[in-house]
Amino acid sequence: KTQEIKSLAKSLTELSADLESAQTEHAAVMEYYGKIKERCIAKPETYEERKRRREAEIAGLKEALSILENETALVQRKSRRHMRGALTMA
């Protein structure tokens, strides 16, 4: 019986050491996961943030449309003055 007790005591010591190292490793992994989670997992946007971003996007699109309309008007004015391919009579 003393042999069995010694064997069990030795096993208990080994298992306690294994548990301690597993807990240490688990704590390190959870700490790393916490850091990664902050950087990688998308945080939901608030309504105000979405609204602000959409308004800025719409303002940019309106500005682009205005610029394109002005450029088109300039191109049309220039093309009316110079009729390409018109026959000239000499």
Side-chain angles (χ1 to χ4, degrees), residues 48-89:
E48 289 78 20
E49 290 171 340
R50 282 194 318 265
K51 182 180 176 187
R52 180 190 52 74
R53 196 179 74 221
R54 293 289 182 248
E55 287 173 350
E57 183 179 359
I58 289 170
L61 290 171
K62 285 181 180 179
E63 182 181 354
L65 179 61
S66 172
I67 290 169
L68 290 173
E69 287 174 343
N70 289 337
E71 285 180 4
T72 302
L74 290 173
V75 169
Q76 287 176 351
R77 284 185 205 145
K78 288 180 183 178
S79 66
R80 287 183 187 159
R81 291 184 193 150
H82 307 289
M83 295 184 67
R84 290 186 179 175
L87 296 175
T88 56
M89 298 181 84

Side-chain angles (χ1 to χ4, degrees), residues 16-59:
S16 295
D18 289 347
L19 175 63
E20 185 178 333
S21 65
Q23 287 174 335
T24 303
E25 185 176 345
H26 180 264
V29 167
M30 293 307 291
E31 181 182 348
Y32 180 72
Y33 173 70
K35 291 177 183 177
I36 294 294
K37 189 167 99 171
E38 289 175 11
R39 292 188 294 170
C40 296
I41 296 178
K43 296 175 183 101
E45 266 187 319
T46 64
Y47 172 75
E48 289 78 20
E49 290 171 340
R50 282 194 318 265
K51 182 180 176 187
R52 180 190 52 74
R53 196 179 74 221
R54 293 289 182 248
E55 287 173 350
E57 183 179 359
I58 289 170

Side-chain angles (χ1 to χ4, degrees), residues 1-28:
K1 263 199 164 196
T2 43
Q3 185 71 14
E4 186 180 343
I5 292 173
K6 287 180 181 180
S7 174
L8 290 173
K10 182 179 178 186
S11 293
L12 179 63
T13 304
E14 290 173 358
L15 290 173
S16 295
D18 289 347
L19 175 63
E20 185 178 333
S21 65
Q23 287 174 335
T24 303
E25 185 176 345
H26 180 264

